[in-house]
Amino acid sequence: MDIRPGDVLVMKKNHPCGANEMYVIRSGMDFRLRCVKCSREFMVPRNKIEKSIRKIRREDEA
């Protein structure tokens, strides 16, 4: 799956704050994500995050 820094991931499940969109800060073996609504940053392993992505939005394809 091609996920780059700067992408916005629309997730299947919501973050505890209620948002389901995450901004990608860093990608590799694990992802550093930032919640779009509450700006909390967290790291998630690649295999866990790829299962829970519904859609990938890119700014250059808008």
Side-chain angles (χ1 to χ4, degrees):
M1 196 175 277
D2 183 32
I3 302 169
R4 301 177 219 150
D7 291 350
V8 175
L9 306 177
V10 179
M11 310 302 282
K12 292 179 183 174
K13 286 189 157 187
N14 290 346
H15 188 248
C17 72
N20 69 340
E21 294 183 346
M22 306 295 160
Y23 178 79
V24 179
I25 298 170
R26 189 184 86 120
S27 64
M29 284 302 291
D30 50 301
F31 288 93
R32 182 147 189 102
L33 302 175
R34 178 185 299 138
C35 178
V36 172
K37 184 176 178 182
C38 68
S39 300
R40 168 102 21 149
E41 292 184 10
F42 51 94
M43 297 199 60
V44 184
R46 176 179 279 274
N47 60 358
K48 186 172 181 185
I49 206 73
E50 284 184 344
K51 294 177 192 175
S52 60
I53 295 173
R54 179 170 287 154
K55 185 178 174 184
I56 302 172
R57 290 195 333 222
R58 292 200 167 94
E59 296 299 322
D60 57 349
E61 295 180 0

